[in-house]
Amino acid sequence: MKARKLLLSMSAILGGALLYFFVGFKVQSRVVAALDKPRACPAAFSWVLERPRRIRQEVPQVLGRIGLYAGERVLEVGCGPGVYTVQAAPRLKPDGQLIAVDLQQEMVERASERVREAGLDNVEFYVADAHQLPLEDASVDRAFLVGVLPEIPNPQGALSELHRVLRPGGILSISEGFFDPDYRFAFETIRQVQQAGFEWVERFGNFWQYTVNFRIMRGISPSTDAYASCK
């Protein structure tokens, strides 16, 4: 009888923990976003992004969906510790360049070290805000964000800035995974990015992990109000 009660108690605790992980974290994230106070993953928790299985399986799969080509000049917003950076840069060789941006100095330092260890010479790093990218207008062919957009305060302002730096016909790629506390459904991401003057081109993956690619819509500029609000 005691063993049964113990088992039921443990099951209840486990069930509660799983419920909080799958639901509670996401509800909390949406409340924080509604208060316009989303936060990036702290550098102290970068190990979550550096899991060997993620590096070995998820990263190559997502990069394939993003669609990088040799010779392109590509922007990665929210590079974190560089797990995507170090696998994306070789795909752009011999003449392409990857520009990796992160808000946190420590993340950029970790990513830079990873790139140096890999012997890559076509990556340029910046510590910068997604609302004020250190790039000229129409200067990149493609930009990608993986698990980053929901963490950005005023995402519409950041999307307007991405619209500014992308060349005509440039591609913006947004990827999200369900196990990220800030996960947003694909339809939410599509609607949000379309409002910033991008055209939905294609979607890959499923509910658990998806990538949505967009192209700048001809003749449509992002809202100047959204852009101005982030300055």
Side-chain angles (χ1 to χ4, degrees), residues 103-201:
L103 185 63
Q104 302 177 76
Q105 177 71 41
E106 188 174 347
M107 284 294 201
V108 169
E109 290 174 357
R110 292 189 183 194
S112 298
E113 182 179 357
R114 192 183 295 271
V115 164
R116 284 195 301 270
E117 291 175 352
L120 297 168
D121 60 1
N122 64 329
V123 183
E124 188 174 319
F125 286 99
Y126 291 98
V127 178
D129 191 314
H131 300 116
Q132 294 179 303
L133 296 169
L135 300 172
E136 299 293 329
D137 293 358
S139 59
V140 296
D141 301 296
R142 190 179 304 265
F144 70 91
L145 297 80
V146 181
V148 171
L149 187 60
E151 297 180 350
I152 300 175
N154 184 13
Q156 288 302 123
L159 289 168
S160 296
E161 180 72 341
L162 286 163
H163 196 290
R164 178 185 70 79
V165 302
L166 279 164
R167 290 172 178 151
I171 298 295
L172 172 62
S173 183
I174 308 292
S175 298
E176 294 292 334
F178 181 78
F179 293 104
D180 187 329
D182 300 304
Y183 174 85
R184 296 294 183 268
F185 296 110
F187 76 87
E188 294 178 292
T189 298
I190 292 170
R191 181 177 57 197
Q192 185 177 47
V193 179
Q194 285 179 325
Q195 289 173 350
F198 290 88
E199 176 186 11
W200 174 27
V201 177

Side-chain angles (χ1 to χ4, degrees), residues 2 18 27 29 31 40 43 55 62 84 87 91 99 119 122 145 149 184 201 212:
K2 289 183 178 180
L18 289 174
V27 171
S29 169
V31 170
I55 292 173
V62 173
Y84 276 87
Q87 293 194 43
R91 299 180 182 225
I99 302 160
N122 64 329
L145 297 80
L149 187 60
R184 296 294 183 268
V201 177
V212 189

